[in-house]
Amino acid sequence: MSQPSYLIVEQQQQPAANLSDLLKKLSQQHQLDIYQSRQRLVGRGLSLLSKGPREKLEKISRLLQENGFTQWLLEPSKPEFIPPRIRALQIDNEKVTFSCQTKTVIFPKGATILAVFADMSGALAEKSVKQLLSSHAYRGRDNVRHLEDHKIHKTILQGKPLLDLYLLDKQKRVVNAVRIFPGKFDPKGLGERSTVSSVQNLDQILKLAEEYAGDFHLVTDFGLVNLPGCTLRRENLDNPETQRQNQISLAHYGWLLADLQRVGQVNPVSEESNGGDLTGAVATALLQKKPNLLATGAAEEVLPIAKEISREIDQASQEKQATRIDPVIAAAGLPAPPLSRRTCNWNKPSFWLGSAGAVIVGGIFTLLEIDSSGTLRKFVHHTFSSGAALFLFSALLVWSGFHFVRLKRQIENTPTSKVRSVAMGMVEIRGRAIRKYALISPMSHVPCVFYRLTKYRREKNNQWRVSSSSSSDSVPFLLEDDTGKVEVDPFGCRVSAGTKQEGTPGQVGLSHFSSDSDEKWVEEIIVEGTLLYVLGFAAVKKDTGPTLAEKKVEALRELKRNPQDIQQFDTDGDGKISSEEWDAARAVVADKVMRDELQKKQRRKKQEEHICIGKKKGRPLVIAETHSEEQLTRRYAFFSLAMFAFATGALGWGIRNLLIYFS
Amino acid sequence: MTGWIVLGVLLLLLAAVIIYVIIIYNGFVALKYNINQDWSNIDVLLKQRYDELPKLIKVCEGYMQHEQKTLEAVIKARSAINSTSSDHDRMQAQSILTDTLKSLFMVVERYPELKADTGFRQLSNRITEIEDQIADRRELFNASVTIYNTRLDQFPDVIVARLFNFAVRELWKIDPVHRADVEVSFQHM
C-alpha cells in the first residue's frame, strides 16, 4: 500500500470573505467536515487539512488554489535521525563546527539552514491560547489577533527553549542537524559573543546561524501547529517520557519542514496574468464596442493600450477594496478600559462607620483590659443584661429597614425615561447594556459591562475569608433603548449582577492553569447585551480633554517641529524668525485653535457623548440586571421586612432582659 | 416597672409610625417637585423649539411665496405662547403651535427645492428631534402625575395626603380635536 499524501495549508489569520462558500464546497464535494475545516484553515501557522490518496488531495488543492491558500502537497519522509546534542562549538571565518558526543557537524558559511526554535515548557502554547481567547472576546471571531513574532521569541526565551539547526543541501534534503540545549554546551566557543546567561548563549547561536547561512529559515511555532507527529505535550516533571516524546515530536517537525522546503508550495493560480488579460480584453471590447473581441482573444491587437487600461482598472479596484476593508477593522476594536480611579476612602460613609465601630469595639476591649477597679466591666455587664445593647441593635436594624423602604419608594416614585429625552437630575432608564470599552471579565473571560471579582482564602478552621476584591466600577458603559444610547458610570453604585460563578485562581475562560485548593474566586458579571435597570443622576459630562491654552501650546510645538510651516512667517526672508515674526505666528496659531474649537462646539454632540448617568452624593445609584421594576422593589421590600422582623425580635428579647434585670 | 416598659414600647411604636409618616410625607413632597421639574423640563425643550422657529420661517419665506397664510399661522401661534398666563393656556398654545408646524411640514412637500435646501433640512430635523423629545417628556410628566395621584388614593398614603392637603394634579391631556382621524388628501400634491 502506497504512503498517504499530506495536504498542508498555511492558515489565514483573517478569514476571507468567501470562506463560507469554500467550506461548503469542501463539505459537499470532498466530504470534509465544515467545522474542522474552518479550524484548520483559519489561525496562525501550518495545519494538515487532509491526508489520503494524492489524486483526491489534488482536487482539494485546486479548490484551495482558487481561494488563494498557500499549500503543500507531499509524501512526508520519515526522520532518519534525531539531531544530536552539541557539547561545544568552534567558529572560524568559513564554518561553524559543532562537537557532539559521537560526531562533529560542520555548518559551512553560505549553507542553507533551517532553524527550529521551540519552547518545550508549553508556555508559548498557553500564552497563545490566552491571546486568542482575549482577542476573540475583544475583536470578535473573524478579527482575532495572534501573538506577534517578537513576543513569541521572548516567550520562548523565557520558557524552556531548545534550538534545532538543520543543514540542507541544494535539493533541500537534510544533510545534517544538531540540537542545542541551553547550558548544556561549552559557551567558550562563542568567543566574544558568549554571555553569563545560558539562554542568551542559545540566542547567540541562533544569531550566528542566521549570520553564517546563505539561505536561512527560522520557525518558531512548534506547539502551535496542527501537524501529525508534531504535538507538544504538557511536560510532567515526574514523567521523563513526556520530555522524550516532545523531543521526538520536535525532530518530526524539523524533518517535515525540510520536506516542505524540498517540495515547495503548490503554485497558486496566476491571477495577475489571467485576470489581467481578461480585464484587458473586457476593457478593449467595451472601448471598441465589439463584444466578439472578448471571445476571440484579439483584443490586444486591436487596442495596444488595453494592458495599460486593465492595469488601471486593477489598481482602482484594489484601492476600492482597501477603502472598503479599513473601516471594518477600525470599527471592530474598542478602546482599552481606563485605569481604575484613585478613590479616597475619607469620602465614603462606610469607611467612617466601619472605623467608628472598630474604634468603639477596640476601645471597649482595651478599657476592659486596663480597668483595674472593674467599673467598666460592671457597666458592660449591665448594658447587656439590661437589654440596652439589644435595644441599640434593634434601632440599627430599624434604621436599615427604613433605608430600604426609602429606596423602594424612590424606585416606585421615579417614572422611566426614554434615553433620547433624558433630562438632568434623578432618572430611571431601562435598556440593553453595551460595552464602551473592551472590558473582559478577569475569570470567565467574557465580554462584559461590569464585573466584581472577590477572592477568598481558606483559613485554618476551614472557613473561607475574603482576601481581596476588585471591580470594574471605573469603566463606564452604554445603555441603549429603542430611542438612543446614554453613558452609565457605575462608580460607587449598588450593582445586582445576574451572573455569578465560582472558579479557581488563574482560571481563564475554560482553561485552568492552577490547582491551589486553598483559594477560590467568585466572579459576578453583567454580560454585554443584558437588559438593565438603572436609577441614577443624569448630568452633563465634564470635559476632560486639554484646555484651550494647552491646545495652543501643542499647536505651537507642532509648528516648531515643521521648519517648512514656520518659514511662512519669515516675512523679511532672512531665514530666521525674529521676535516680532514669532509673535505674529503665535497670533495666527491662537486664532486657528480658537476657530477649530468654535467649529467643534457648533457640531451637535450625540447623547452618549455629553450625558452620563452616575452617582451623586446623597442620591442612590442602582444598576440591576432585572426585567421588571416590581422584581427589584419586591426584593427591597423583603429586605426591609426582614430587618423589621429582626428588630422586633431584638426588641422583644431586650424587653425580656429588662424585665428580668429589674425583677 | 411593667407600666414603664409598656409605655416605652408604645413610644417606640409611635416613633416608628412617625418615621413612616415622615417618609410618606417626604415622598409626596419629592413627587410634587418631580412633577414641577418634569413640567419645567418640557419648558426647556419648548423654549428651544421657540428659538429655532424664526430661523425655520426665514428659510421657508424664501421659497414659499404663496404660502403666507401657513407661515403667518406659525408666527401667530408662536407669539400666542408669550401672552398666556396659566399652565393650562400655555399647554393649549403649545399644542396649537405643534399643529401649525405639522401643517407647515405638510405644505413643504409641494416645494422640492425647499426640501432640498441644506439649511431647511437641518432645521426641520432639529425641530422634529425636539418634537420627539417633547412627546417623551410629556409622557414622563404624565407618568409622574399618575404616580403622584395614585399615591394620593392609596392606603396609608391617603391619610397623610388628606392630613397635609396634597391636591390632585392635572394630566397633560390632548385637545379632543386631535383624537379624530386625520383626513389625507392628495389633491394638492
Side-chain angles (χ1 to χ4, degrees):
Chain A
M1 195 179 161
S2 65
Q3 193 190 353
S5 298
Y6 285 3
L7 179 60
I8 293 170
V9 288
E10 189 181 326
Q11 293 175 306
Q12 289 185 344
Q13 295 204 16
Q14 306 297 334
N18 56 352
L19 181 71
S20 52
D21 294 337
L22 172 67
L23 294 173
K24 270 183 204 164
K25 282 181 190 168
L26 286 173
S27 168
Q28 287 162 2
Q29 296 171 13
H30 305 288
Q31 291 74 49
L32 294 184
D33 180 64
I34 288 185
Y35 180 71
Q36 208 171 40
S37 302
R38 191 183 199 285
Q39 275 195 325
R40 291 179 177 186
L41 291 173
V42 181
R44 186 190 183 281
L46 303 173
S47 173
L48 176 77
L49 180 68
S50 182
K51 67 177 181 180
R54 193 176 179 91
E55 303 76 48
K56 187 189 166 192
L57 296 184
E58 275 173 350
K59 286 176 192 164
I60 301 173
S61 170
R62 271 195 289 279
L63 197 57
L64 293 175
Q65 263 178 285
E66 287 163 13
N67 286 276
F69 275 89
T70 306
Q71 54 185 308
W72 294 263
L73 189 57
L74 74 158
E75 287 78 37
S77 58
K78 283 186 178 168
E80 289 169 20
F81 59 87
I82 290 178
R85 197 176 85 190
I86 70 156
R87 288 167 179 268
L89 77 156
Q90 196 184 341
I91 309 167
D92 59 47
N93 288 338
E94 294 304 315
K95 60 183 188 297
V96 180
T97 310
F98 293 104
S99 304
C100 306
Q101 193 175 13
T102 53
K103 64 176 181 179
T104 304
V105 181
I106 297 168
F107 277 60
K109 202 165 192 177
T112 304
I113 298 175
L114 168 69
V116 184
F117 191 39
D119 166 50
M120 308 303 280
S121 69
L124 179 63
E126 207 168 84
K127 197 168 183 175
S128 178
V129 170
K130 276 186 187 179
Q131 163 81 16
L132 271 176
L133 282 167
S134 88
S135 179
H136 183 278
Y138 274 72
R139 304 162 65 87
R141 189 185 72 160
D142 291 342
N143 203 19
V144 289
R145 187 178 282 170
H146 299 270
L147 276 180
E148 290 149 15
D149 288 343
H150 70 275
K151 281 187 184 164
I152 291 180
H153 192 86
K154 199 175 161 189
T155 310
I156 295 173
L157 286 175
Q158 286 170 346
K160 198 175 170 188
L162 193 58
L163 176 64
D164 277 3
L165 294 178
Y166 291 86
L167 182 66
L168 309 179
D169 65 8
K170 281 183 182 172
Q171 284 76 42
K172 306 283 172 74
R173 288 196 183 89
V174 177
V175 179
N176 232 323
V178 288
R179 177 162 286 178
I180 305 137
F181 288 85
K184 298 282 175 76
F185 65 93
D186 186 357
K188 280 179 196 163
L190 280 168
E192 288 179 352
R193 295 168 191 258
S194 90
T195 66
V196 287
S197 158
S198 59
V199 174
Q200 287 304 319
N201 286 338
L202 184 76
D203 199 31
Q204 287 299 330
I205 294 185
L206 184 64
K207 284 176 186 157
L208 182 75
E210 190 174 2
E211 201 179 293
Y212 270 63
D215 190 4
F216 183 76
H217 300 277
L218 174 66
V219 182
T220 54
D221 52 6
F222 177 66
L224 308 178
V225 291
N226 171 36
L227 292 172
C230 307
T231 319
L232 176 72
R233 294 163 187 83
R234 181 181 275 271
E235 281 199 354
N236 185 349
L237 294 173
D238 302 332
N239 183 10
E241 185 57 23
T242 51
Q243 294 178 28
R244 199 182 66 82
Q245 281 174 345
N246 282 344
Q247 287 176 21
I248 293 170
S249 288
L250 185 63
H252 265 282
Y253 186 49
W255 279 85
L256 188 62
L257 287 171
D259 281 340
L260 296 183
Q261 295 263 320
R262 182 169 47 80
V263 298
Q265 67 187 62
V266 178
N267 287 332
V269 174
S270 177
E271 280 180 19
E272 203 181 324
S273 57
N274 295 347
D277 287 350
L278 184 64
T279 323
V282 172
T284 315
L286 283 172
L287 288 169
Q288 295 286 312
K289 293 183 181 171
K290 289 177 183 170
N292 57 332
L293 289 177
L294 192 63
T296 56
E300 209 177 325
E301 290 169 24
V302 179
L303 197 65
I305 60 160
K307 274 198 170 174
E308 290 282 318
I309 296 169
S310 75
R311 203 175 299 126
E312 279 185 21
I313 293 173
D314 283 345
Q315 271 177 5
S317 65
Q318 276 167 11
E319 279 167 18
K320 206 173 178 182
Q321 271 182 351
T323 51
R324 205 167 49 234
I325 290 163
D326 278 352
V328 176
I329 294 166
L334 288 169
L339 295 172
S340 53
R341 275 172 238 172
R342 280 186 185 176
T343 52
C344 180
N345 283 331
W346 308 104
N347 296 335
K348 294 180 182 171
S350 57
F351 170 80
W352 288 106
L353 283 172
S355 305
V359 166
I360 291 167
V361 172
I364 289 171
F365 277 102
T366 317
L367 286 171
L368 282 173
E369 285 297 313
I370 58 168
D371 180 36
S372 54
S373 62
T375 320
L376 191 71
R377 208 174 287 272
K378 275 179 197 165
F379 173 74
V380 172
H381 171 74
H382 285 298
T383 310
F384 279 94
S385 58
S386 66
L390 283 164
F391 290 139
L392 193 69
F393 181 60
S394 171
L396 276 172
L397 285 171
V398 169
W399 183 82
S400 308
F402 277 122
H403 167 76
F404 281 111
V405 169
R406 274 176 58 214
L407 195 59
K408 175 183 167 280
R409 288 185 77 95
Q410 170 110 50
I411 291 169
E412 284 169 345
N413 289 353
T414 314
T416 309
S417 300
K418 282 184 179 162
V419 164
R420 92 179 143 196
S421 57
V422 157
M424 305 302 106
M426 279 307 285
V427 289
E428 176 187 288
I429 49 168
R430 269 179 277 194
R432 205 168 285 282
I434 302 174
R435 288 188 303 168
K436 190 182 177 193
Y437 295 97
L439 185 69
I440 307 289
S441 61
M443 193 180 82
S444 55
H445 241 253
V446 172
C448 63
V449 294
F450 180 84
Y451 73 77
R452 189 189 295 121
L453 183 73
T454 316
K455 294 177 183 173
Y456 293 87
R457 191 89 202 156
R458 199 195 293 273
E459 294 283 88
K460 282 174 187 167
N461 57 3
N462 219 20
Q463 295 289 313
W464 290 104
R465 189 181 61 83
V466 176
S467 59
S468 69
S469 176
S470 59
S471 76
S472 67
D473 63 358
S474 62
V475 185
F477 61 89
L478 302 174
L479 200 81
E480 184 187 45
D481 70 359
D482 50 359
T483 62
K485 290 178 200 162
V486 70
E487 189 179 308
V488 178
D489 182 2
F491 187 71
C493 69
R494 177 191 291 273
V495 179
S496 308
T499 312
K500 188 176 180 178
Q501 56 179 311
E502 263 186 38
T504 51
Q507 180 173 334
V508 177
L510 301 170
S511 319
H512 298 255
F513 300 121
S514 170
S515 57
D516 186 356
S517 60
D518 286 335
E519 195 177 330
K520 75 170 179 183
W521 290 4
V522 175
E523 187 187 71
E524 292 165 80
I525 54 171
I526 298 177
V527 181
E528 184 174 30
T530 42
L531 287 168
L532 287 188
Y533 167 91
V534 175
L535 176 78
F537 195 86
V540 175
K541 278 163 77 175
K542 283 177 193 161
D543 192 4
T544 51
T547 60
L548 196 66
E550 284 167 345
K551 280 178 187 168
K552 277 181 196 168
V553 171
E554 187 49 42
L556 286 168
R557 276 196 195 128
E558 190 59 36
L559 183 69
K560 279 184 182 174
R561 277 188 216 119
N562 297 312
Q564 283 177 341
D565 290 352
I566 210 164
Q567 281 309 311
Q568 61 178 309
F569 297 105
D570 183 14
T571 44
D572 54 9
D574 64 347
K576 288 177 186 171
I577 301 290
S578 64
S579 60
E580 289 81 21
E581 286 165 346
W582 180 241
D583 285 342
R586 282 177 63 178
V588 170
V589 167
D591 186 52
K592 191 176 175 297
V593 170
M594 182 67 87
R595 277 172 194 279
D596 289 349
E597 204 57 20
L598 285 171
Q599 230 167 17
K600 262 187 211 169
K601 277 184 182 163
Q602 274 182 347
R603 185 178 65 86
R604 272 185 60 74
K605 282 182 181 174
K606 288 180 190 167
Q607 179 92 313
E608 65 264 32
E609 284 173 356
H610 76 117
I611 294 178
C612 180
I613 296 172
K615 170 93 180 153
K616 199 185 178 202
K617 212 174 173 184
R619 308 283 183 102
L621 171 62
V622 180
I623 298 174
E625 200 177 321
T626 176
H627 295 284
S628 72
E629 195 178 305
E630 287 71 32
Q631 206 180 1
L632 194 66
T633 50
R634 263 204 306 273
R635 195 188 302 163
Y636 290 141
F638 174 76
F639 288 162
S640 56
L641 281 174
M643 297 281 180
F644 290 139
F646 280 121
T648 314
L651 185 69
W653 197 11
I655 290 167
R656 177 187 160 274
N657 283 3
L658 193 68
L659 285 170
I660 295 166
Y661 182 77
F662 281 109
S663 63
Chain B
M1 187 63 222
T2 318
W4 281 109
I5 290 171
V6 171
L7 184 68
V9 170
L10 285 174
L11 280 173
L12 280 173
L13 280 173
L14 187 69
V17 169
I18 289 169
I19 292 172
Y20 193 59
V21 167
I22 290 170
I23 288 176
I24 293 174
Y25 176 82
N26 285 348
F28 273 124
V29 173
L31 274 171
K32 200 171 84 175
Y33 283 101
N34 271 355
I35 292 169
N36 292 347
Q37 192 191 0
D38 289 346
W39 178 251
S40 303
N41 286 340
I42 298 172
D43 265 358
V44 172
L45 290 174
L46 292 175
K47 177 77 173 70
Q48 280 183 15
R49 184 178 70 170
Y50 183 88
D51 292 342
E52 297 282 352
L53 275 178
K55 296 179 214 164
L56 183 79
I57 291 164
K58 206 173 177 184
V59 175
C60 291
E61 270 174 348
Y63 293 92
M64 299 164 71
Q65 301 295 335
H66 309 291
E67 302 290 347
Q68 287 304 319
K69 217 173 162 184
T70 316
L71 289 172
E72 274 166 18
V74 176
I75 296 164
K76 203 174 156 189
R78 182 178 177 269
S79 313
I81 293 168
N82 289 337
S83 57
T84 55
S85 52
S86 68
D87 282 355
H88 182 265
D89 290 347
R90 209 141 47 106
M91 277 188 214
Q92 290 299 319
Q94 293 291 356
S95 298
I96 292 166
L97 180 59
T98 305
D99 290 345
T100 53
L101 273 171
K102 274 181 192 161
S103 313
L104 177 72
F105 287 132
M106 278 170 77
V107 172
V108 162
E109 294 295 323
R110 292 182 217 157
Y111 298 88
E113 284 175 359
L114 174 62
K115 271 180 79 184
D117 186 282
T118 319
F120 173 77
R121 275 215 309 268
Q122 277 178 356
L123 283 165
S124 61
N125 285 344
R126 174 88 186 110
I127 287 172
T128 313
E129 201 180 292
I130 294 173
E131 290 282 349
D132 289 341
Q133 287 179 336
I134 291 170
D136 290 346
R137 288 199 185 168
R138 277 180 189 173
E139 276 180 29
L140 192 78
F141 170 79
N142 281 348
S144 290
V145 172
T146 308
I147 291 170
Y148 173 79
N149 289 346
T150 312
R151 283 231 179 271
L152 283 182
D153 288 344
Q154 273 178 340
F155 182 81
D157 300 36
V158 65
I159 303 166
V160 180
R162 297 261 167 90
L163 202 66
F164 295 98
N165 292 326
F166 284 103
V168 174
R169 294 290 294 258
E170 192 185 352
L171 285 168
W172 183 314
K173 287 176 193 156
I174 61 161
D175 199 318
V177 178
H178 299 120
R179 292 204 188 104
D181 286 341
V182 178
E183 280 183 31
V184 182
S185 167
F186 293 99
Q187 59 187 0
H188 299 296
M189 298 271 174

